[in-house]
PDB file of all heavy atoms in Angstrom:
ATOM      1  N   ILE B   1       0.965-210.792  99.963  1.00  0.00           N
ATOM      2  CA  ILE B   1       1.798-211.927 100.337  1.00  0.00           C
ATOM      3  C   ILE B   1       1.875-212.933  99.287  1.00  0.00           C
ATOM      4  O   ILE B   1       0.723-213.308  98.788  1.00  0.00           O
ATOM      5  CB  ILE B   1       1.321-212.511 101.758  1.00  0.00           C
ATOM      6  CG1 ILE B   1       2.290-213.593 102.222  1.00  0.00           C
ATOM      7  CG2 ILE B   1       0.003-213.049 101.609  1.00  0.00           C
ATOM      8  CD1 ILE B   1       2.149-213.919 103.643  1.00  0.00           C
ATOM      9  N   SER B   2       2.992-213.402  98.926  1.00  0.00           N
ATOM     10  CA  SER B   2       3.105-214.331  97.860  1.00  0.00           C
ATOM     11  C   SER B   2       2.605-215.812  98.210  1.00  0.00           C
ATOM     12  O   SER B   2       2.400-216.030  99.499  1.00  0.00           O
ATOM     13  CB  SER B   2       4.543-214.464  97.351  1.00  0.00           C
ATOM     14  OG  SER B   2       5.473-214.862  98.331  1.00  0.00           O
ATOM     15  N   SER B   3       2.288-216.746  97.255  1.00  0.00           N
ATOM     16  CA  SER B   3       1.812-217.940  97.651  1.00  0.00           C
ATOM     17  C   SER B   3       2.607-218.789  98.573  1.00  0.00           C
ATOM     18  O   SER B   3       2.060-219.387  99.479  1.00  0.00           O
ATOM     19  CB  SER B   3       1.494-218.764  96.330  1.00  0.00           C
ATOM     20  OG  SER B   3       2.718-218.914  95.666  1.00  0.00           O
ATOM     21  N   SER B   4       3.896-218.680  98.487  1.00  0.00           N
ATOM     22  CA  SER B   4       4.826-219.358  99.429  1.00  0.00           C
ATOM     23  C   SER B   4       5.191-218.608 100.586  1.00  0.00           C
ATOM     24  O   SER B   4       5.961-218.994 101.439  1.00  0.00           O
ATOM     25  CB  SER B   4       6.081-219.667  98.672  1.00  0.00           C
ATOM     26  OG  SER B   4       6.839-218.613  98.338  1.00  0.00           O
ATOM     27  N   SER B   5       4.743-217.314 100.727  1.00  0.00           N
ATOM     28  CA  SER B   5       5.001-216.377 101.892  1.00  0.00           C
ATOM     29  C   SER B   5       6.464-215.942 101.775  1.00  0.00           C
ATOM     30  O   SER B   5       7.058-215.488 102.707  1.00  0.00           O
ATOM     31  CB  SER B   5       4.610-217.006 103.207  1.00  0.00           C
ATOM     32  OG  SER B   5       3.283-217.368 103.351  1.00  0.00           O
ATOM     33  N   SER B   6       7.082-216.068 100.605  1.00  0.00           N
ATOM     34  CA  SER B   6       8.625-215.725 100.473  1.00  0.00           C
ATOM     35  C   SER B   6       8.633-214.247 100.330  1.00  0.00           C
ATOM     36  O   SER B   6       9.771-213.674 100.426  1.00  0.00           O
ATOM     37  CB  SER B   6       9.100-216.473  99.303  1.00  0.00           C
ATOM     38  OG  SER B   6       8.494-216.176  98.080  1.00  0.00           O
ATOM     39  N   SER B   7       7.509-213.604  99.949  1.00  0.00           N
ATOM     40  CA  SER B   7       7.628-212.130  99.842  1.00  0.00           C
ATOM     41  C   SER B   7       6.333-211.480 100.356  1.00  0.00           C
ATOM     42  O   SER B   7       5.123-211.994 100.133  1.00  0.00           O
ATOM     43  CB  SER B   7       7.647-211.834  98.259  1.00  0.00           C
ATOM     44  OG  SER B   7       7.685-210.475  97.947  1.00  0.00           O
ATOM     45  N   THR B   8       6.503-210.289 100.870  1.00  0.00           N
ATOM     46  CA  THR B   8       5.391-209.494 101.425  1.00  0.00           C
ATOM     47  C   THR B   8       5.738-208.050 100.931  1.00  0.00           C
ATOM     48  O   THR B   8       6.922-207.723 100.719  1.00  0.00           O
ATOM     49  CB  THR B   8       5.185-209.455 102.920  1.00  0.00           C
ATOM     50  OG1 THR B   8       6.322-209.129 103.560  1.00  0.00           O
ATOM     51  CG2 THR B   8       4.830-210.914 103.361  1.00  0.00           C
ATOM     52  N   ASN B   9       4.772-207.238 100.873  1.00  0.00           N
ATOM     53  CA  ASN B   9       4.888-205.855 100.522  1.00  0.00           C
ATOM     54  C   ASN B   9       3.946-204.949 101.139  1.00  0.00           C
ATOM     55  O   ASN B   9       2.750-205.458 101.492  1.00  0.00           O
ATOM     56  CB  ASN B   9       4.940-205.596  98.998  1.00  0.00           C
ATOM     57  CG  ASN B   9       5.508-204.312  98.544  1.00  0.00           C
ATOM     58  OD1 ASN B   9       6.086-203.602  99.433  1.00  0.00           O
ATOM     59  ND2 ASN B   9       5.443-203.953  97.269  1.00  0.00           N
ATOM     60  N   TYR B  10       4.001-203.713 101.385  1.00  0.00           N
ATOM     61  CA  TYR B  10       3.148-202.863 101.982  1.00  0.00           C
ATOM     62  C   TYR B  10       3.139-201.522 101.462  1.00  0.00           C
ATOM     63  O   TYR B  10       4.255-200.951 100.841  1.00  0.00           O
ATOM     64  CB  TYR B  10       3.551-202.638 103.508  1.00  0.00           C
ATOM     65  CG  TYR B  10       3.537-203.857 104.326  1.00  0.00           C
ATOM     66  CD1 TYR B  10       4.603-204.603 104.412  1.00  0.00           C
ATOM     67  CD2 TYR B  10       2.337-204.298 104.966  1.00  0.00           C
ATOM     68  CE1 TYR B  10       4.638-205.794 105.163  1.00  0.00           C
ATOM     69  CE2 TYR B  10       2.348-205.423 105.656  1.00  0.00           C
ATOM     70  CZ  TYR B  10       3.424-206.228 105.820  1.00  0.00           C
ATOM     71  OH  TYR B  10       3.448-207.358 106.501  1.00  0.00           O
ATOM     72  N   ALA B  11       2.043-200.874 101.282  1.00  0.00           N
ATOM     73  CA  ALA B  11       1.990-199.395 100.888  1.00  0.00           C
ATOM     74  C   ALA B  11       2.713-198.575 101.942  1.00  0.00           C
ATOM     75  O   ALA B  11       2.711-198.878 103.107  1.00  0.00           O
ATOM     76  CB  ALA B  11       0.556-198.984 100.806  1.00  0.00           C
ATOM     77  N   ASP B  12       3.337-197.542 101.315  1.00  0.00           N
ATOM     78  CA  ASP B  12       4.131-196.615 102.257  1.00  0.00           C
ATOM     79  C   ASP B  12       3.310-196.114 103.400  1.00  0.00           C
ATOM     80  O   ASP B  12       3.862-195.836 104.489  1.00  0.00           O
ATOM     81  CB  ASP B  12       4.735-195.481 101.498  1.00  0.00           C
ATOM     82  CG  ASP B  12       5.873-195.891 100.601  1.00  0.00           C
ATOM     83  OD1 ASP B  12       6.489-196.995 100.819  1.00  0.00           O
ATOM     84  OD2 ASP B  12       6.278-195.093  99.590  1.00  0.00           O
ATOM     85  N   SER B  13       1.979-195.823 103.160  1.00  0.00           N
ATOM     86  CA  SER B  13       1.151-195.324 104.195  1.00  0.00           C
ATOM     87  C   SER B  13       0.922-196.133 105.194  1.00  0.00           C
ATOM     88  O   SER B  13       0.491-195.658 106.344  1.00  0.00           O
ATOM     89  CB  SER B  13      -0.180-194.844 103.461  1.00  0.00           C
ATOM     90  OG  SER B  13      -0.841-195.926 102.902  1.00  0.00           O
ATOM     91  N   VAL B  14       1.067-197.438 105.165  1.00  0.00           N
ATOM     92  CA  VAL B  14       0.788-198.410 106.224  1.00  0.00           C
ATOM     93  C   VAL B  14       2.055-199.105 106.720  1.00  0.00           C
ATOM     94  O   VAL B  14       1.953-199.844 107.700  1.00  0.00           O
ATOM     95  CB  VAL B  14      -0.269-199.390 105.768  1.00  0.00           C
ATOM     96  CG1 VAL B  14      -1.518-198.733 105.337  1.00  0.00           C
ATOM     97  CG2 VAL B  14       0.271-200.415 104.887  1.00  0.00           C
ATOM     98  N   LYS B  15       3.140-198.856 106.178  1.00  0.00           N
ATOM     99  CA  LYS B  15       4.344-199.600 106.548  1.00  0.00           C
ATOM    100  C   LYS B  15       4.728-199.357 107.919  1.00  0.00           C
ATOM    101  O   LYS B  15       4.789-198.171 108.292  1.00  0.00           O
ATOM    102  CB  LYS B  15       5.515-199.160 105.428  1.00  0.00           C
ATOM    103  CG  LYS B  15       6.720-200.156 105.582  1.00  0.00           C
ATOM    104  CD  LYS B  15       7.673-199.823 104.433  1.00  0.00           C
ATOM    105  CE  LYS B  15       7.072-200.075 103.096  1.00  0.00           C
ATOM    106  NZ  LYS B  15       7.947-199.892 101.928  1.00  0.00           N
ATOM    107  N   GLY B  16       5.072-200.378 108.623  1.00  0.00           N
ATOM    108  CA  GLY B  16       5.428-200.191 110.033  1.00  0.00           C
ATOM    109  C   GLY B  16       4.243-200.224 111.016  1.00  0.00           C
ATOM    110  O   GLY B  16       4.306-200.480 112.250  1.00  0.00           O
ATOM    111  N   ARG B  17       2.904-200.180 110.494  1.00  0.00           N
ATOM    112  CA  ARG B  17       1.718-200.271 111.217  1.00  0.00           C
ATOM    113  C   ARG B  17       0.941-201.474 111.003  1.00  0.00           C
ATOM    114  O   ARG B  17       0.290-202.072 111.880  1.00  0.00           O
ATOM    115  CB  ARG B  17       0.835-198.991 111.006  1.00  0.00           C
ATOM    116  CG  ARG B  17       1.461-197.706 111.364  1.00  0.00           C
ATOM    117  CD  ARG B  17       0.498-196.624 111.262  1.00  0.00           C
ATOM    118  NE  ARG B  17       0.056-196.320 109.972  1.00  0.00           N
ATOM    119  CZ  ARG B  17      -1.184-196.425 109.613  1.00  0.00           C
ATOM    120  NH1 ARG B  17      -2.136-196.756 110.469  1.00  0.00           N
ATOM    121  NH2 ARG B  17      -1.569-196.162 108.342  1.00  0.00           N
ATOM    122  N   PHE B  18       1.028-202.006 109.720  1.00  0.00           N
ATOM    123  CA  PHE B  18       0.174-203.113 109.337  1.00  0.00           C
ATOM    124  C   PHE B  18       1.090-204.360 108.978  1.00  0.00           C
ATOM    125  O   PHE B  18       2.250-204.144 108.727  1.00  0.00           O
ATOM    126  CB  PHE B  18      -0.543-202.913 107.943  1.00  0.00           C
ATOM    127  CG  PHE B  18      -1.684-201.888 108.095  1.00  0.00           C
ATOM    128  CD1 PHE B  18      -1.921-201.048 109.254  1.00  0.00           C
ATOM    129  CD2 PHE B  18      -2.616-201.693 107.032  1.00  0.00           C
ATOM    130  CE1 PHE B  18      -2.928-200.230 109.362  1.00  0.00           C
ATOM    131  CE2 PHE B  18      -3.696-200.938 107.115  1.00  0.00           C
ATOM    132  CZ  PHE B  18      -3.846-200.119 108.306  1.00  0.00           C
ATOM    133  N   THR B  19       0.635-205.540 109.362  1.00  0.00           N
ATOM    134  CA  THR B  19       1.233-206.739 109.046  1.00  0.00           C
ATOM    135  C   THR B  19       0.413-207.816 108.548  1.00  0.00           C
ATOM    136  O   THR B  19      -0.727-208.050 108.927  1.00  0.00           O
ATOM    137  CB  THR B  19       1.870-207.307 110.290  1.00  0.00           C
ATOM    138  OG1 THR B  19       2.706-206.435 111.075  1.00  0.00           O
ATOM    139  CG2 THR B  19       2.760-208.619 110.151  1.00  0.00           C
ATOM    140  N   ILE B  20       0.863-208.353 107.291  1.00  0.00           N
ATOM    141  CA  ILE B  20       0.103-209.427 106.640  1.00  0.00           C
ATOM    142  C   ILE B  20       0.644-210.755 107.013  1.00  0.00           C
ATOM    143  O   ILE B  20       1.946-210.953 107.161  1.00  0.00           O
ATOM    144  CB  ILE B  20       0.087-209.222 105.119  1.00  0.00           C
ATOM    145  CG1 ILE B  20      -0.866-210.158 104.451  1.00  0.00           C
ATOM    146  CG2 ILE B  20       1.403-209.364 104.538  1.00  0.00           C
ATOM    147  CD1 ILE B  20      -1.196-209.853 103.045  1.00  0.00           C
ATOM    148  N   SER B  21      -0.174-211.745 107.156  1.00  0.00           N
ATOM    149  CA  SER B  21       0.302-213.037 107.499  1.00  0.00           C
ATOM    150  C   SER B  21      -0.788-214.087 106.956  1.00  0.00           C
ATOM    151  O   SER B  21      -1.841-213.665 106.605  1.00  0.00           O
ATOM    152  CB  SER B  21       0.531-213.263 109.114  1.00  0.00           C
ATOM    153  OG  SER B  21      -0.701-213.074 109.720  1.00  0.00           O
ATOM    154  N   ARG B  22      -0.316-215.288 106.950  1.00  0.00           N
ATOM    155  CA  ARG B  22      -1.212-216.402 106.490  1.00  0.00           C
ATOM    156  C   ARG B  22      -1.107-217.604 107.483  1.00  0.00           C
ATOM    157  O   ARG B  22      -0.053-217.884 107.989  1.00  0.00           O
ATOM    158  CB  ARG B  22      -1.001-216.687 105.079  1.00  0.00           C
ATOM    159  CG  ARG B  22       0.312-217.426 104.819  1.00  0.00           C
ATOM    160  CD  ARG B  22       0.668-217.344 103.301  1.00  0.00           C
ATOM    161  NE  ARG B  22      -0.371-217.909 102.448  1.00  0.00           N
ATOM    162  CZ  ARG B  22      -0.596-217.627 101.093  1.00  0.00           C
ATOM    163  NH1 ARG B  22       0.314-216.757 100.546  1.00  0.00           N
ATOM    164  NH2 ARG B  22      -1.558-218.206 100.478  1.00  0.00           N
ATOM    165  N   ASP B  23      -2.276-218.319 107.557  1.00  0.00           N
ATOM    166  CA  ASP B  23      -2.202-219.512 108.301  1.00  0.00           C
ATOM    167  C   ASP B  23      -2.851-220.545 107.378  1.00  0.00           C
ATOM    168  O   ASP B  23      -4.072-220.650 107.275  1.00  0.00           O
ATOM    169  CB  ASP B  23      -3.085-219.384 109.657  1.00  0.00           C
ATOM    170  CG  ASP B  23      -2.960-220.724 110.484  1.00  0.00           C
ATOM    171  OD1 ASP B  23      -2.641-221.779 109.943  1.00  0.00           O
ATOM    172  OD2 ASP B  23      -3.239-220.538 111.694  1.00  0.00           O
ATOM    173  N   ASN B  24      -2.024-221.283 106.570  1.00  0.00           N
ATOM    174  CA  ASN B  24      -2.552-222.255 105.650  1.00  0.00           C
ATOM    175  C   ASN B  24      -3.354-223.322 106.327  1.00  0.00           C
ATOM    176  O   ASN B  24      -4.303-223.790 105.637  1.00  0.00           O
ATOM    177  CB  ASN B  24      -1.434-222.784 104.792  1.00  0.00           C
ATOM    178  CG  ASN B  24      -0.758-221.709 103.887  1.00  0.00           C
ATOM    179  OD1 ASN B  24      -1.427-220.821 103.550  1.00  0.00           O
ATOM    180  ND2 ASN B  24       0.338-222.076 103.502  1.00  0.00           N
ATOM    181  N   ALA B  25      -3.093-223.667 107.547  1.00  0.00           N
ATOM    182  CA  ALA B  25      -3.912-224.739 108.165  1.00  0.00           C
ATOM    183  C   ALA B  25      -5.389-224.422 108.366  1.00  0.00           C
ATOM    184  O   ALA B  25      -6.235-225.153 108.311  1.00  0.00           O
ATOM    185  CB  ALA B  25      -3.248-225.052 109.456  1.00  0.00           C
ATOM    186  N   LYS B  26      -5.562-223.008 108.576  1.00  0.00           N
ATOM    187  CA  LYS B  26      -6.878-222.480 108.707  1.00  0.00           C
ATOM    188  C   LYS B  26      -7.374-221.794 107.361  1.00  0.00           C
ATOM    189  O   LYS B  26      -8.503-221.329 107.346  1.00  0.00           O
ATOM    190  CB  LYS B  26      -6.858-221.333 109.695  1.00  0.00           C
ATOM    191  CG  LYS B  26      -6.466-221.871 111.142  1.00  0.00           C
ATOM    192  CD  LYS B  26      -6.526-220.771 112.171  1.00  0.00           C
ATOM    193  CE  LYS B  26      -6.183-221.243 113.647  1.00  0.00           C
ATOM    194  NZ  LYS B  26      -6.295-220.130 114.638  1.00  0.00           N
ATOM    195  N   ASN B  27      -6.597-221.875 106.274  1.00  0.00           N
ATOM    196  CA  ASN B  27      -6.949-221.457 104.988  1.00  0.00           C
ATOM    197  C   ASN B  27      -7.352-219.875 105.093  1.00  0.00           C
ATOM    198  O   ASN B  27      -8.309-219.459 104.585  1.00  0.00           O
ATOM    199  CB  ASN B  27      -8.088-222.153 104.375  1.00  0.00           C
ATOM    200  CG  ASN B  27      -7.913-222.453 102.875  1.00  0.00           C
ATOM    201  OD1 ASN B  27      -6.803-222.440 102.457  1.00  0.00           O
ATOM    202  ND2 ASN B  27      -9.032-222.674 102.224  1.00  0.00           N
ATOM    203  N   THR B  28      -6.588-219.158 105.919  1.00  0.00           N
ATOM    204  CA  THR B  28      -6.897-217.724 106.194  1.00  0.00           C
ATOM    205  C   THR B  28      -5.804-216.839 106.120  1.00  0.00           C
ATOM    206  O   THR B  28      -4.615-217.304 106.428  1.00  0.00           O
ATOM    207  CB  THR B  28      -7.588-217.639 107.620  1.00  0.00           C
ATOM    208  OG1 THR B  28      -8.836-218.438 107.654  1.00  0.00           O
ATOM    209  CG2 THR B  28      -7.933-216.275 107.965  1.00  0.00           C
ATOM    210  N   VAL B  29      -5.915-215.714 105.572  1.00  0.00           N
ATOM    211  CA  VAL B  29      -4.964-214.575 105.555  1.00  0.00           C
ATOM    212  C   VAL B  29      -5.392-213.532 106.520  1.00  0.00           C
ATOM    213  O   VAL B  29      -6.566-213.203 106.569  1.00  0.00           O
ATOM    214  CB  VAL B  29      -4.683-214.126 104.157  1.00  0.00           C
ATOM    215  CG1 VAL B  29      -3.819-212.948 104.217  1.00  0.00           C
ATOM    216  CG2 VAL B  29      -4.131-215.224 103.330  1.00  0.00           C
ATOM    217  N   TYR B  30      -4.438-212.855 107.241  1.00  0.00           N
ATOM    218  CA  TYR B  30      -4.871-211.882 108.080  1.00  0.00           C
ATOM    219  C   TYR B  30      -4.039-210.520 107.736  1.00  0.00           C
ATOM    220  O   TYR B  30      -3.020-210.465 107.174  1.00  0.00           O
ATOM    221  CB  TYR B  30      -4.297-212.148 109.587  1.00  0.00           C
ATOM    222  CG  TYR B  30      -4.869-213.552 110.068  1.00  0.00           C
ATOM    223  CD1 TYR B  30      -4.182-214.755 109.948  1.00  0.00           C
ATOM    224  CD2 TYR B  30      -6.212-213.609 110.668  1.00  0.00           C
ATOM    225  CE1 TYR B  30      -4.685-216.014 110.428  1.00  0.00           C
ATOM    226  CE2 TYR B  30      -6.669-214.835 111.034  1.00  0.00           C
ATOM    227  CZ  TYR B  30      -5.922-215.978 110.889  1.00  0.00           C
ATOM    228  OH  TYR B  30      -6.440-217.194 111.347  1.00  0.00           O
ATOM    229  N   LEU B  31      -4.729-209.501 108.211  1.00  0.00           N
ATOM    230  CA  LEU B  31      -4.125-208.226 108.113  1.00  0.00           C
ATOM    231  C   LEU B  31      -4.209-207.635 109.545  1.00  0.00           C
ATOM    232  O   LEU B  31      -5.330-207.119 109.995  1.00  0.00           O
ATOM    233  CB  LEU B  31      -4.789-207.273 107.198  1.00  0.00           C
ATOM    234  CG  LEU B  31      -4.120-205.875 106.880  1.00  0.00           C
ATOM    235  CD1 LEU B  31      -2.697-206.124 106.262  1.00  0.00           C
ATOM    236  CD2 LEU B  31      -4.977-205.011 105.972  1.00  0.00           C
ATOM    237  N   GLN B  32      -3.150-207.626 110.313  1.00  0.00           N
ATOM    238  CA  GLN B  32      -3.128-206.816 111.506  1.00  0.00           C
ATOM    239  C   GLN B  32      -2.839-205.349 111.234  1.00  0.00           C
ATOM    240  O   GLN B  32      -1.871-204.984 110.729  1.00  0.00           O
ATOM    241  CB  GLN B  32      -1.992-207.472 112.416  1.00  0.00           C
ATOM    242  CG  GLN B  32      -1.898-206.830 113.881  1.00  0.00           C
ATOM    243  CD  GLN B  32      -3.014-207.056 114.664  1.00  0.00           C
ATOM    244  OE1 GLN B  32      -3.585-208.144 114.797  1.00  0.00           O
ATOM    245  NE2 GLN B  32      -3.501-206.070 115.399  1.00  0.00           N
ATOM    246  N   MET B  33      -3.804-204.586 111.844  1.00  0.00           N
ATOM    247  CA  MET B  33      -3.718-203.001 111.680  1.00  0.00           C
ATOM    248  C   MET B  33      -3.514-202.405 112.975  1.00  0.00           C
ATOM    249  O   MET B  33      -4.472-202.424 113.779  1.00  0.00           O
ATOM    250  CB  MET B  33      -4.872-202.566 110.962  1.00  0.00           C
ATOM    251  CG  MET B  33      -5.201-203.200 109.564  1.00  0.00           C
ATOM    252  SD  MET B  33      -6.597-202.544 108.673  1.00  0.00           S
ATOM    253  CE  MET B  33      -7.842-202.873 109.816  1.00  0.00           C
ATOM    254  N   ASN B  34      -2.410-201.792 113.214  1.00  0.00           N
ATOM    255  CA  ASN B  34      -2.069-201.086 114.443  1.00  0.00           C
ATOM    256  C   ASN B  34      -2.012-199.622 114.197  1.00  0.00           C
ATOM    257  O   ASN B  34      -1.762-199.159 113.120  1.00  0.00           O
ATOM    258  CB  ASN B  34      -0.805-201.689 115.061  1.00  0.00           C
ATOM    259  CG  ASN B  34      -0.761-203.093 115.499  1.00  0.00           C
ATOM    260  OD1 ASN B  34      -1.865-203.561 115.787  1.00  0.00           O
ATOM    261  ND2 ASN B  34       0.318-203.850 115.464  1.00  0.00           N
ATOM    262  N   ASP B  35      -2.112-198.877 115.342  1.00  0.00           N
ATOM    263  CA  ASP B  35      -2.028-197.409 115.298  1.00  0.00           C
ATOM    264  C   ASP B  35      -2.874-196.864 114.242  1.00  0.00           C
ATOM    265  O   ASP B  35      -2.424-196.089 113.280  1.00  0.00           O
ATOM    266  CB  ASP B  35      -0.602-196.977 115.127  1.00  0.00           C
ATOM    267  CG  ASP B  35      -0.408-195.552 115.261  1.00  0.00           C
ATOM    268  OD1 ASP B  35      -1.227-194.855 116.056  1.00  0.00           O
ATOM    269  OD2 ASP B  35       0.614-194.931 114.799  1.00  0.00           O
ATOM    270  N   LEU B  36      -4.215-197.254 114.155  1.00  0.00           N
ATOM    271  CA  LEU B  36      -5.016-196.839 113.028  1.00  0.00           C
ATOM    272  C   LEU B  36      -5.367-195.341 113.065  1.00  0.00           C
ATOM    273  O   LEU B  36      -5.377-194.718 114.084  1.00  0.00           O
ATOM    274  CB  LEU B  36      -6.394-197.652 113.130  1.00  0.00           C
ATOM    275  CG  LEU B  36      -6.292-198.944 112.700  1.00  0.00           C
ATOM    276  CD1 LEU B  36      -7.444-199.814 113.228  1.00  0.00           C
ATOM    277  CD2 LEU B  36      -6.210-199.073 111.108  1.00  0.00           C
ATOM    278  N   LYS B  37      -5.323-194.783 111.854  1.00  0.00           N
ATOM    279  CA  LYS B  37      -5.620-193.399 111.618  1.00  0.00           C
ATOM    280  C   LYS B  37      -6.802-193.122 110.796  1.00  0.00           C
ATOM    281  O   LYS B  37      -7.311-194.002 110.152  1.00  0.00           O
ATOM    282  CB  LYS B  37      -4.331-192.729 110.873  1.00  0.00           C
ATOM    283  CG  LYS B  37      -2.965-193.050 111.509  1.00  0.00           C
ATOM    284  CD  LYS B  37      -1.899-192.529 110.740  1.00  0.00           C
ATOM    285  CE  LYS B  37      -0.571-192.928 111.315  1.00  0.00           C
ATOM    286  NZ  LYS B  37      -0.445-192.261 112.640  1.00  0.00           N
ATOM    287  N   PRO B  38      -7.437-191.972 110.825  1.00  0.00           N
ATOM    288  CA  PRO B  38      -8.587-191.705 110.073  1.00  0.00           C
ATOM    289  C   PRO B  38      -8.460-191.943 108.545  1.00  0.00           C
ATOM    290  O   PRO B  38      -9.443-192.350 108.006  1.00  0.00           O
ATOM    291  CB  PRO B  38      -8.897-190.281 110.421  1.00  0.00           C
ATOM    292  CG  PRO B  38      -8.321-189.971 111.767  1.00  0.00           C
ATOM    293  CD  PRO B  38      -7.061-190.915 111.862  1.00  0.00           C
ATOM    294  N   GLU B  39      -7.238-191.798 108.092  1.00  0.00           N
ATOM    295  CA  GLU B  39      -7.045-191.993 106.690  1.00  0.00           C
ATOM    296  C   GLU B  39      -7.117-193.446 106.274  1.00  0.00           C
ATOM    297  O   GLU B  39      -7.068-193.835 105.137  1.00  0.00           O
ATOM    298  CB  GLU B  39      -5.650-191.383 106.249  1.00  0.00           C
ATOM    299  CG  GLU B  39      -4.478-192.074 106.879  1.00  0.00           C
ATOM    300  CD  GLU B  39      -3.202-191.434 106.593  1.00  0.00           C
ATOM    301  OE1 GLU B  39      -3.027-190.163 107.175  1.00  0.00           O
ATOM    302  OE2 GLU B  39      -2.326-191.980 105.987  1.00  0.00           O
ATOM    303  N   ASP B  40      -7.205-194.382 107.301  1.00  0.00           N
ATOM    304  CA  ASP B  40      -7.271-195.756 107.020  1.00  0.00           C
ATOM    305  C   ASP B  40      -8.722-196.131 106.754  1.00  0.00           C
ATOM    306  O   ASP B  40      -8.948-197.393 106.430  1.00  0.00           O
ATOM    307  CB  ASP B  40      -6.713-196.595 108.271  1.00  0.00           C
ATOM    308  CG  ASP B  40      -5.145-196.396 108.391  1.00  0.00           C
ATOM    309  OD1 ASP B  40      -4.539-196.299 107.388  1.00  0.00           O
ATOM    310  OD2 ASP B  40      -4.745-196.220 109.476  1.00  0.00           O
ATOM    311  N   THR B  41      -9.590-195.268 106.938  1.00  0.00           N
ATOM    312  CA  THR B  41     -11.067-195.587 106.805  1.00  0.00           C
ATOM    313  C   THR B  41     -11.369-196.035 105.363  1.00  0.00           C
ATOM    314  O   THR B  41     -10.868-195.410 104.330  1.00  0.00           O
ATOM    315  CB  THR B  41     -11.830-194.312 107.095  1.00  0.00           C
ATOM    316  OG1 THR B  41     -11.842-194.115 108.505  1.00  0.00           O
ATOM    317  CG2 THR B  41     -13.388-194.584 106.860  1.00  0.00           C
ATOM    318  N   GLY B  42     -12.116-197.065 105.153  1.00  0.00           N
ATOM    319  CA  GLY B  42     -12.518-197.469 103.884  1.00  0.00           C
ATOM    320  C   GLY B  42     -13.051-198.935 103.872  1.00  0.00           C
ATOM    321  O   GLY B  42     -13.133-199.543 105.003  1.00  0.00           O
ATOM    322  N   ILE B  43     -13.459-199.484 102.795  1.00  0.00           N
ATOM    323  CA  ILE B  43     -13.869-200.807 102.669  1.00  0.00           C
ATOM    324  C   ILE B  43     -12.564-201.691 102.332  1.00  0.00           C
ATOM    325  O   ILE B  43     -11.843-201.237 101.373  1.00  0.00           O
ATOM    326  CB  ILE B  43     -14.988-200.960 101.646  1.00  0.00           C
ATOM    327  CG1 ILE B  43     -16.204-200.217 101.922  1.00  0.00           C
ATOM    328  CG2 ILE B  43     -15.292-202.464 101.536  1.00  0.00           C
ATOM    329  CD1 ILE B  43     -17.248-200.195 100.835  1.00  0.00           C
TER     330      ILE B  43
END
């Protein structure tokens, strides 16, 4: 996600399942991961 949140991008393998967002008031960025698959395993 770009600094102004004007642009986001996703790997093809997670597109439609993951969503990136930011809450500047909380100084936090989130990654919502839905419909998780074994191939999503990792650090």
